[in-house]
């Protein structure tokens, strides 16, 4: 009693929870957001390469990320050239194809777990649904968990993407291998394609 009054310690101030990110529901708006949104990669992505092609295409090709040498055009390197020759064999012209990647820049070491990156999973699925392709070719099994599928053991797998009443036939193949294995990769892709599109 009689001593100086105790000073109240300041109460810690809680930081406000970040507002949920709204993924656009329009394809043009989505493309613009996807090229600028820092939330997709915590702002680390430099040198983004956008998707290309028409909406409602005969085929959408989805790859994990741009090739290391891509600057202005997605899949302009070895993988893209191999795919272009494959599409020519399949009788599909470039104006029937929508080219896209799950991440907007070359991203070695990216975490593809939907649990670790739910926004990426939402964005990849939304991108496919907004494009509305008749068929979806997925290059790289790391993308499949983002679309709600497990990674398979074989070189190629045919599945369906089902979401909110939309069903898209989907063929997934392993990512383009080293040069020594490319003939086997092309052979597996071609035979999987023939079975899938029969």
């Amino acid at each position: 009693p009689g001593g100086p009054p105790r000073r109240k310690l300041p109460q810690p101030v809680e930081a406000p929870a970040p507002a949920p990110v709204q993924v656009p529901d329009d394809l043009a708006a989505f493309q613009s957001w996807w090229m600028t949104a820092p939330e997709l990669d915590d702002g680390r992505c430099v040198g983004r390469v956008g998707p290309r092609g028409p909406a409602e295409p005969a085929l959408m090709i989805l790859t994990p990320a741009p090739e290391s040498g891509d600057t202005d055009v997605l899949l302009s390197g070895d993988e893209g050239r191999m795919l272009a020759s494959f599409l020519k064999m399949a009788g599909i012209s470039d104006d029937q194809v929508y080219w896209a990647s799950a991440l907007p820049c070359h991203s070695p070491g990216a975490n593809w777990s939907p649990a670790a990156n739910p926004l990426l999973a939402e964005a990849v699925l939304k991108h496919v649904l907004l494009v509305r392709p008749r068929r979806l070719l997925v290059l790289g099994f790391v993308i499949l968990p983002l679309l709600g599928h497990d990674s398979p053991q074989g070189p190629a797998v045919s599945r369906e993407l089902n979401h909110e009443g939309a069903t898209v036939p989907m063929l997934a193949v392993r990512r383009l291998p080293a040069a020594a294995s490319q003939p086997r990769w092309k052979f597996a892709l071609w035979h999987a394609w023939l079975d899938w599109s029969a």
Side-chain angles (χ1 to χ4, degrees):
R6 291 185 178 181
R7 298 177 63 186
K8 289 186 178 179
L9 295 175
Q11 295 296 313
V13 178
E14 291 186 10
V21 176
Q22 294 294 319
V23 179
D25 286 320
D26 169 81
L27 182 57
F30 176 91
Q31 292 169 337
S32 177
W33 168 83
W34 187 84
M35 287 293 288
T36 57
E39 303 91 352
L40 281 173
D41 60 356
D42 297 326
R44 296 187 302 270
C45 193
V46 177
R48 298 187 179 211
V49 183
R52 57 189 169 95
E56 300 185 40
L59 180 68
M60 178 176 180
I61 296 177
L62 181 62
T63 189
E67 296 183 81
S68 58
D70 289 348
T71 52
D72 299 319
V73 179
L74 181 65
L75 293 175
S76 58
D78 290 341
E79 189 170 6
R81 284 189 287 273
M82 184 177 292
L83 284 167
S85 67
F86 162 76
L87 293 173
K88 188 174 180 181
M89 286 173 54
I92 300 174
S93 61
D94 196 57
D95 62 0
Q96 296 176 291
V97 181
Y98 185 93
W99 304 74
S101 56
L103 282 172
C105 64
H106 185 63
S107 305
N111 187 339
W112 297 101
S113 163
N117 202 339
L119 179 61
L120 178 60
E122 180 184 357
V124 170
L125 184 59
K126 179 65 72 71
H127 200 169
V128 175
L129 295 177
L130 290 175
V131 171
R132 300 190 303 278
R134 291 203 292 274
R135 291 179 180 271
L136 173 64
L137 175 60
V138 173
L139 304 176
F141 292 160
V142 295
I143 299 176
L144 289 179
L146 300 174
L147 297 172
H149 289 277
D150 295 330
S151 294
Q153 300 299 316
V157 62
S158 176
R159 302 274 174 83
E160 282 190 340
L161 174 63
N162 295 295
H163 188 74
E164 296 180 355
T167 300
V168 182
M170 177 174 66
L171 176 66
V173 296
R174 293 191 186 281
R175 192 76 192 265
L176 181 68
S181 301
Q182 287 179 11
R184 290 198 304 274
W185 186 88
K186 284 195 289 187
F187 181 82
L189 172 57
W190 182 245
H191 279 269
W193 175 270
L194 290 177
D195 289 342
W196 184 54
S197 58

